[in-house]
């Protein structure tokens, strides 16, 4: 194939954001933490990326898609981390997640069949694969073992119907966030702020959290969760990916600025 001499040798930050499906905010963040520097900065202050920078970004996004955190990605790119081992470890995590998803599919399929046939539903079967303990270590590290124990007891005390309602509400909220992000909503728009309000309301009164027994979560807790959604790719997947998670955080930051003003 002949070389296309008309192809641009570098791309502006807006072009890169559009082509990769990420955001200029993310690219600036990568620059600020030393993960991806632009090849040059123009007199207009715009960042520009040449072929080498784009190749590095491709690798970053691949590792991000595979679930590696930014710190692990930085180590991998710096050669301080065995790429093969890191990817092999993540394959094992993906296989474990695939098994859990397969159980969820089987669980929901079984529920559909039983409803169609008028057969009784067993709670143990309905919730196979819904692992509420998945973030146990993180909860205990961030907020203490008492917090996890309280929330675990709260979950176990719920009826099957209440659990189903709670899970459905969380999934619907995540889906609505993802839709708004894909639609390109402004984080300050009424629709985005309504979602941020729902995010706030969903945290009210959950045992083991700073919002237990209160009218709502404290500002620091709310914003801490917003940052976590972006920092941890497991949460980002709930909102349609990294760009979706960043949209959620941006809307929550706007909400916090007005709610706690």
């Amino acid at each position: 194939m002949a070389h296309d001499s008309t192809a641009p040798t570098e791309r502006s930050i807006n072009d890169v954001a559009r082509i990769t499906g990420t955001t200029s905010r993310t690219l600036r963040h990568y620059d600020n933490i030393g993960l991806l520097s632009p090849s040059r900065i123009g007199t207009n202050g715009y960042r520009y990326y040449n072929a080498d920078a784009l190749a590095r970004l491709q690798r970053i996004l691949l590792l991000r898609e595979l679930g590696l955190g930014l710190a692990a990605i930085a180590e991998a790119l710096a050669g301080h981390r065995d790429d093969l081992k890191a990817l092999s470890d993540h394959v094992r995590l993906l296989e474990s997640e695939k098994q859990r998803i397969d159980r969820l599919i089987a669980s929901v399929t079984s529920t559909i069949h039983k409803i169609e046939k008028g057969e009784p539903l067993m709670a143990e079967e309905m919730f196979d694969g819904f692992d509420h303990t998945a973030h146990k270590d993180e909860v205990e590290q961030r907020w203490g073992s008492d917090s996890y124990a309280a929330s675990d007891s709260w979950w176990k005390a719920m009826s099957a119907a209440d659990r189903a309602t709670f899970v459905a509400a969380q999934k619907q909220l995540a889906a609505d966030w993802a839709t708004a992000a894909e639609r390109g909503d402004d984080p300050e728009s009424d629709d985005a702020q309504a979602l941020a309000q729902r995010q706030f309301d969903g945290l009210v009164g959950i045992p083991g959290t700073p919002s237990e027994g209160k009218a709502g979560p404290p500002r620091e807790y709310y914003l801490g969760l917003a940052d976590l959604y972006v920092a941890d790719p497991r949460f980002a997947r709930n909102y349609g990916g990294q760009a979706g998670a960043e949209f959620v955080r941006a809307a929550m930051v706007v909400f916090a600025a007005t709610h706690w003003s």
Side-chain angles (χ1 to χ4, degrees), residues 20-22 30 57-70 73 87 90-91 94 232-234 236-237 240-243:
T20 61
T22 185
Y30 288 170
L57 176 59
Q58 181 186 51
R59 192 175 179 200
I60 291 170
L61 296 180
L62 170 63
L63 295 174
R64 197 77 170 122
E65 184 69 22
L66 290 175
L68 272 68
L70 294 182
I73 292 174
L87 292 174
H90 194 69
V91 165
L94 289 174
D232 191 325
R234 290 170 300 175
R237 282 195 291 270
Q242 186 68 17

Side-chain angles (χ1 to χ4, degrees), residues 17 20-26 30 61 64 177-178 180-182 187 229-230 236-237 239-250:
T20 61
T22 185
T23 67
S24 57
R25 185 195 299 258
T26 295
Y30 288 170
L61 296 180
R64 197 77 170 122
W177 272 121
E182 291 174 0
Y229 299 153
V230 171
R237 282 195 291 270
Y239 304 112
Q242 186 68 17
E246 290 177 0
F247 169 73
V248 174
R249 180 175 65 179

Side-chain angles (χ1 to χ4, degrees), residues 23-182:
T23 67
S24 57
R25 185 195 299 258
T26 295
L27 294 172
R28 287 193 294 270
H29 178 61
Y30 288 170
D31 184 17
N32 291 336
I33 64 176
L35 188 60
L36 176 70
S37 298
S39 53
R40 72 179 178 91
I41 297 179
T43 55
N44 56 2
Y46 271 36
R47 292 167 166 81
Y48 292 88
Y49 299 81
N50 61 16
D52 289 339
L54 293 176
R56 182 179 175 90
L57 176 59
Q58 181 186 51
R59 192 175 179 200
I60 291 170
L61 296 180
L62 170 63
L63 295 174
R64 197 77 170 122
E65 184 69 22
L66 290 175
L68 272 68
L70 294 182
I73 292 174
E75 290 179 3
L77 295 179
H80 298 153
R81 183 184 176 97
D82 186 334
D83 286 7
L84 183 60
K85 182 180 184 302
L87 292 174
S88 296
D89 289 344
H90 194 69
V91 165
R92 284 192 289 272
L93 291 175
L94 289 174
E95 289 174 344
S96 176
E97 180 67 7
K98 179 180 180 297
Q99 292 174 3
R100 188 183 73 83
I101 292 174
D102 286 343
R103 286 166 56 201
L104 280 171
I105 292 172
S107 172
V108 175
T109 301
S110 176
T111 297
I112 292 172
H113 290 165
K114 289 191 174 185
I115 290 175
E116 288 177 342
K117 296 179 180 180
E119 297 178 0
L121 299 175
M122 300 296 293
E124 290 78 9
E125 296 175 353
M126 291 171 64
F127 291 97
D128 185 31
F130 289 99
D131 183 10
H132 74 286
T133 66
H135 302 293
K136 176 177 183 291
D137 292 342
E138 292 175 51
V139 172
E140 290 185 340
Q141 182 178 3
R142 287 175 179 272
W143 296 297
S145 57
D146 289 344
S147 292
Y148 176 78
S151 60
D152 185 53
S153 296
W154 167 74
W155 176 260
K156 290 178 177 177
M158 293 172 70
S159 67
D162 287 341
R163 287 183 186 176
T165 298
F166 180 83
V167 170
Q170 296 302 309
K171 289 184 177 295
Q172 186 59 59
L173 177 56
D176 290 345
W177 272 121
T179 298
E182 291 174 0

